[in-house]
Amino acid sequence: MSALRMKVKAMTLTLAVAGMLAAGTASASLTGFQTYVGNVGYSADGFGSTSQNGTISASVPVGSTVLAAYLYTGYYNGGSGIEGTTLDGNAVSFGSLVPNTTACCSIGSARADVTSIVKPKIDTGLGGVYDFSINESSSLQDGEALVVVYSNPSLPIATFGIVDGFASVTGDSTQINFANPLNKATPEFFAEMFLGINFSCCSQKSTVKVNGTTITENAGNNDDGLGGISNGQLITVGGYDDPFSSLMPTYEGDHERYNLVDYITNGDTQIKVDTFNASQDDNIFLAGFYVYGKAGVNAPPPPTNAVPEPSSLVLMGLGLAGLGAIRRRKNSK
């Protein structure tokens, strides 16, 4: 075990027993939070630094309208003092802390709705990459993830689903159900997944399977930490500026963003993702699924006659349970 990890474990607090969280906050276990169906797209990005301030970004094309924006923070040793965090100089109001009760080191996350901060800047912008200043209020914050969901009439009908909370390190499964059998011959067909993981470094890693195929044994690492390996910047998020990870990537080459198309067979009506983390000391606090067509995540398939018109958007609750423990990698952006 590395000197860093030994030091971290020596500093840890006793894990709290999981409790029920108030409505509107991220819930215990990786759980469905929101689903967006229509001409939708998304952007994800991560940030971590021991200086506790820097920039987190969103990539959104011109002509888009922001539907929602969420800022997550990952923490260790209990995460006290996160309440003073700001985004573009605006106070961020996080919901209840969500401790990962299946892992070590009192690690966890919290979520804030930052739509009111992000939407005016993007909706009136010229498209492209939008930067937002971030200032953490606690040295116990590993970093942040920014997820922006938008509509754009040029996009095909698609589904974007967010799950958050924490993934059990002993293993979990998630499934995406489709209204109609999948046809990969459709020119616009796509299916992708990204993960957000904190307290992540030092060759600790997780395995991910898609429809029974192992696609990585090296998920994790502190890719979005700006200053090397140290507590307070151990975070990785599969972001808009990350390439898709190759099949069975190296630890450094796993970017927590995955193209699922090759693991789908024509005629499938479901994509199933299984995860497992042997070292039991990372926190998978966030996962996003972006798929062509109308889908549900760990929910019954939507009716085939309910696909919205190209200009319409439907926001639905997600009935999704657990995605599994997935872990670290090293490259800093």
Side-chain angles (χ1 to χ4, degrees):
M1 179 180 291
S2 71
L4 169 68
R5 188 56 61 177
M6 292 175 65
K7 178 180 178 182
V8 170
K9 289 185 182 294
M11 294 168 56
T12 56
L13 306 175
T14 303
L15 281 172
V17 177
M20 297 302 292
L21 300 177
T25 65
S27 55
S29 185
L30 225 100
T31 307
F33 169 50
Q34 294 287 358
T35 301
Y36 301 86
V37 181
N39 306 102
V40 298
Y42 83 97
S43 172
D45 192 32
F47 162 82
S49 174
T50 54
S51 71
Q52 296 179 241
N53 60 82
T55 300
I56 197 165
S57 304
S59 179
V60 180
V62 65
S64 299
T65 300
V66 170
L67 304 173
Y70 303 102
L71 185 73
Y72 293 81
T73 190
Y75 63 81
Y76 66 101
N77 276 9
S80 62
I82 69 171
E83 296 79 9
T85 299
T86 64
L87 183 69
D88 256 12
N90 299 278
V92 172
S93 179
F94 288 110
S96 301
L97 301 184
V98 185
N100 188 331
T101 55
T102 67
C104 80
C105 313
S106 293
I107 54 181
S109 66
R111 182 186 71 231
D113 187 326
V114 293
T115 307
S116 62
I117 300 172
V118 171
K119 182 177 175 65
K121 188 170 184 175
I122 293 179
D123 284 2
T124 59
L126 299 177
V129 176
Y130 297 83
D131 293 332
F132 298 86
S133 63
I134 187 147
N135 193 313
E136 298 174 339
S137 56
S138 172
S139 61
L140 300 181
Q141 289 171 267
D142 275 324
E144 283 69 43
L146 177 64
V147 180
V148 178
V149 189
Y150 57 87
S151 65
N152 190 299
S154 67
L155 296 175
I157 296 295
T159 300
F160 178 64
I162 304 172
V163 299
D164 60 18
F166 68 85
S168 172
V169 297
T170 59
D172 266 311
S173 295
T174 293
Q175 63 186 34
I176 308 167
N177 296 306
F178 290 84
N180 299 297
L182 298 176
N183 179 9
K184 296 198 298 182
T186 303
E188 296 175 316
F189 185 82
F190 58 84
E192 64 181 78
M193 173 181 70
F194 78 88
L195 302 169
I197 310 171
N198 77 289
F199 206 62
S200 182
C201 76
C202 318
S203 297
Q204 293 163 272
K205 53 195 178 182
S206 291
T207 296
V208 183
K209 293 183 178 181
V210 176
N211 288 344
T213 298
T214 300
I215 66 170
T216 180
E217 295 178 341
N218 286 304
N221 210 345
N222 62 318
D223 297 19
D224 291 296
L226 300 183
I229 300 174
S230 58
N231 293 330
Q233 57 184 15
L234 303 182
I235 192 165
T236 180
V237 180
Y240 72 90
D241 54 353
D242 287 318
F244 286 125
S245 301
S246 61
L247 178 63
M248 298 300 288
T250 64
Y251 189 54
E252 293 76 13
D254 194 314
H255 306 293
E256 285 66 63
R257 182 172 177 238
Y258 309 96
N259 186 344
L260 307 183
V261 173
D262 287 345
Y263 318 113
I264 295 169
T265 301
N266 282 338
D268 283 350
T269 57
Q270 180 186 94
I271 300 173
K272 187 172 184 289
V273 179
D274 298 300
T275 59
F276 174 72
N277 169 229
S279 55
Q280 302 188 355
D281 52 5
D282 276 355
N283 183 40
I284 292 73
F285 62 89
L286 172 66
F289 295 90
Y290 187 42
V291 295
Y292 180 80
K294 189 173 184 180
V297 184
N298 275 8
T304 56
N305 61 353
V307 177
E309 294 298 321
S311 61
S312 67
L313 174 74
V314 179
L315 278 74
M316 329 183 261
L318 223 90
L320 176 137
L323 163 50
I326 317 164
R327 308 191 49 70
R328 355 180 153 269
R329 133 187 131 254
K330 207 161 204 170
N331 286 329
S332 281
K333 288 182 190 167

